[in-house]
Amino acid sequence: MKSKVENLILSMSLAVIFFLSFFGMAHKSMIWDERCYIGAGKYISKTGNFEYNVFRAHPPMSFYINSIFLLPLHFDEKIYLEDDCWKIGYDMVYNSGHDPQLILILARLPFILMSMILALFVFSWAKQLYGIKSALLALCLYTFSTSIISQSNVALTDFAVTFFIFLTMYYYWKFRTFGKKKHLYLTSVFFACALLSKLTGLVLVPSLIILAFYDAIKISKSKSKNLLQALKTVLTIFLIAFLVMFAAFGFQFKTLKSTMPQHYVDRAYEEFASKFHNEKIRNAAIYSFEKIPIPFPAYFFGLGSVAFTSKEGIFSVFLDGKIFSKSPWHYPVAVFFYKTQISLFLLLILSAAFFKKTRSRDIFNECIQVLPMVFIFILFMLNKMTAGLRHILPIYVFLFVFCSKIAKQKNKWLGAAIAILIIHYILSSLFIFPHYFSYFNEIVGGPSNGYMHLVGANLDNGQDLPGLKKYMEESGIKKIKLSYFGSVDPKEYFDYEYLSSPYFQHWVPDYKPYVTVTKRNEDCSAKKGIMAISATNLQNVHMINQTCFDWLKKHEPVEKIGYSIFVYNIK
């Protein structure tokens, strides 16, 4: 293909990515974790405070990214006196004097631009592996992916780690293929960036080790020399990544205790008491915690916090009509089957069926794509607190490249089948616009039936308050009864009468920080009039009374706002 035509196609694809992503988020409210994350990078750069509760779950890279376009803006100095990310982020959006929707757009925009860059890498890798036809197929799969669009236009951590995991694998493949040191150094830097984006980046550790030793074991001659070279490669990657991470945390070298908010320190002592029954071991652990300085302890604070919540599963999840107190092992598999476009499934089946005919001569090229996908599934199948699609997001970019090789086949009937699948794939993406967050495939009957199978972060993350406001204005509704699942106080958008909502949301009347509630006075009585309820609350997932809104299921909604908020008119 001539370069001009290729460049035109790339330009058009990038324009489509920007349009679908930007206008897919331009009229969506702040979603759950954005309240804590937005502006965190600006706060860190302004205060230098790494003893900050935002690190309880994630390292700082995605926070720096979401603050890129916020840095020139002036915010009230009082905002920086706080040390609670949930208050800081909310104040930066809604109490800063700036237009809240502008702040949301500026915080989300860097991820859309990163998505456009990632599309180029997906195209490039598929082209180098399988040729131009495969590259075009991979580009199409990326451009119209409902999964990618839904997660690349919000200021969360998941797209950032997806971006850097893919670039790490891409440049390691370049290093292994061409043997240039610059590719090894780029691998190391992007590996560090992945670790700095989200703890999911740790799946690269076993992936890189296995890949580095693959050739050493495969080649029969000079095995000891090859093993030594593989070890040198791994150590080089890890050492450079360590230095990058050290710099990203401001060369922080302190005790673990000194970097943790007091609430988490208290919890750590409780864990020491309950987990270490041997006094000597317990005292040694406490001494290390209190006295021994380590590099970037904020990272290990987050690692410990996430390991604890992943094991304990502190929030319930909903799957196929049932509420689980912890994520079951098959939860990420179900999410993948329900939220992935059917056309992509069929292309994957075709790619597997013709694998021997379409694979590279060197099976390493497929292994480097498959390994991260396998480890991500394993990680979240073992995780008791899996949010769903956003946690398994990195598998999709590898899947696009893996499936693209089917385009190499020169079979007329197969080509026609692929063309039909691509048309279906594109249409399934365009028809759900702009509600990509709420996409469900035909397995569950589409987005209208999605709430019967998955809710929370897979459907209803608080994103549709502007849509509900528009509906109220068009219907002449001045005040509405509302049970809402989200981190934003709905008063920022319209007047409402409070109906029972999950206790851990900061805006509910009886909210208390750091408290797990087991008893609560929830008004679950049947109501009349016009009311709206988030799909997650309709399924009672986080209600103490898990039959609280069952009475409402007997009625049909008069409207579904973005498929996530149901409106009823009960007389």
Side-chain angles (χ1 to χ4, degrees), residues 242 245-247 249 251-254 294-301:
F242 171 84
M245 291 178 70
F246 200 16
F249 276 98
F251 300 100
Q252 186 188 48
F253 191 75
K254 296 181 178 181
I294 56 175
F296 43 90
Y299 183 85
F300 295 99
F301 162 42

Side-chain angles (χ1 to χ4, degrees), residues 317-373:
V317 297
F318 178 85
L319 177 61
D320 294 332
K322 185 178 179 180
I323 298 172
F324 295 84
S325 60
K326 302 176 181 180
S327 301
W329 69 268
H330 61 287
Y331 186 74
V333 179
V335 170
F336 179 70
F337 275 99
Y338 295 164
K339 298 281 289 180
T340 301
Q341 288 149 280
I342 287 289
S343 311
L344 184 59
F345 276 129
L346 296 176
L347 285 170
L348 177 59
I349 292 170
L350 288 175
S351 185
F354 289 91
F355 182 77
K356 288 185 178 180
K357 293 182 179 181
T358 59
R359 53 157 282 195
S360 306
R361 291 182 179 179
D362 187 350
I363 195 65
F364 178 92
N365 294 333
E366 279 69 44
C367 289
I368 198 169
Q369 301 168 52
V370 171
L371 267 180
M373 293 192 282

Side-chain angles (χ1 to χ4, degrees), residues 15-26:
V16 170
I17 290 170
F18 183 84
F19 179 89
L20 295 179
S21 300
F22 184 86
F23 291 102
M25 66 84 177

Side-chain angles (χ1 to χ4, degrees), residues 309-544:
T309 55
S310 298
K311 179 177 179 294
E312 299 297 324
I314 60 176
F315 287 121
S316 301
V317 297
F318 178 85
L319 177 61
D320 294 332
K322 185 178 179 180
I323 298 172
F324 295 84
S325 60
K326 302 176 181 180
S327 301
W329 69 268
H330 61 287
Y331 186 74
V333 179
V335 170
F336 179 70
F337 275 99
Y338 295 164
K339 298 281 289 180
T340 301
Q341 288 149 280
I342 287 289
S343 311
L344 184 59
F345 276 129
L346 296 176
L347 285 170
L348 177 59
I349 292 170
L350 288 175
S351 185
F354 289 91
F355 182 77
K356 288 185 178 180
K357 293 182 179 181
T358 59
R359 53 157 282 195
S360 306
R361 291 182 179 179
D362 187 350
I363 195 65
F364 178 92
N365 294 333
E366 279 69 44
C367 289
I368 198 169
Q369 301 168 52
V370 171
L371 267 180
M373 293 192 282
V374 170
F375 282 122
I376 286 166
F377 266 120
I378 291 173
L379 173 65
F380 288 107
M381 288 170 73
L382 297 175
N383 194 320
K384 300 301 181 184
M385 193 179 166
T386 299
L389 179 73
R390 65 189 182 95
H391 281 168
I392 61 171
L393 187 67
I395 68 172
Y396 287 95
V397 280
F398 292 103
L399 206 55
F400 301 149
V401 176
F402 185 83
C403 290
S404 71
K405 62 183 178 292
I406 192 63
K408 292 169 61 179
Q409 280 294 97
K410 297 179 180 180
N411 180 298
K412 185 185 297 184
W413 294 106
L414 181 60
I418 293 172
I420 292 170
L421 290 177
I422 291 172
I423 292 170
H424 175 273
Y425 187 85
I426 293 172
L427 291 177
S428 68
S429 179
L430 296 179
F431 284 161
I432 194 66
F433 176 86
H435 307 301
Y436 289 102
F437 214 84
S438 305
Y439 176 82
F440 282 83
N441 63 30
E442 292 85 347
I443 292 175
V444 297
S448 293
N449 293 331
Y451 77 100
M452 295 187 287
H453 301 274
L454 295 166
V455 288
N458 297 294
L459 167 67
D460 166 31
N461 222 359
Q463 71 271 17
D464 282 314
L465 287 179
L468 181 55
K469 178 184 178 181
K470 181 180 179 182
Y471 173 81
M472 290 172 63
E473 291 173 347
E474 292 175 348
S475 304
I477 301 169
K478 294 183 178 180
K479 188 174 183 178
I480 194 167
K481 297 180 178 72
L482 177 66
S483 175
Y484 172 63
F485 180 71
S487 58
V488 181
D489 189 338
K491 73 177 182 181
E492 305 291 351
Y493 291 88
F494 48 75
D495 193 15
Y496 71 98
E497 179 184 330
Y498 173 78
L499 298 182
S500 291
S501 302
Y503 70 89
F504 51 79
Q505 301 180 133
H506 296 72
W507 55 272
V508 299
D510 57 342
Y511 170 74
K512 294 179 181 178
Y514 305 121
V515 174
T516 300
V517 175
T518 56
K519 292 183 179 181
R520 184 188 184 212
N521 183 23
E522 294 174 337
D523 181 3
C524 299
S525 60
K527 305 287 189 301
K528 290 185 177 182
I530 300 175
M531 62 191 71
I533 183 170
S534 295
T536 302
N537 295 354
L538 182 64
Q539 300 293 11
N540 304 302
V541 182
H542 302 297
M543 306 302 293
I544 301 302

Side-chain angles (χ1 to χ4, degrees), residues 11 44 58 85 132 178 296 304 333 374 493 503 544 561 570:
S11 299
I44 295 165
H58 303 296
C85 68
I132 187 61
F178 302 108
F296 43 90
V333 179
V374 170
Y493 291 88
Y503 70 89
I544 301 302
I561 310 297
I570 301 174

Side-chain angles (χ1 to χ4, degrees), residues 43 75 79 87 105 111 237 249 280 284 316 321 372 392 488:
Y43 172 86
F75 291 91
I79 291 176
K87 180 160 178 39
I105 289 172
F111 298 97
I237 293 171
F249 276 98
K280 290 184 178 179
S316 301
I392 61 171
V488 181

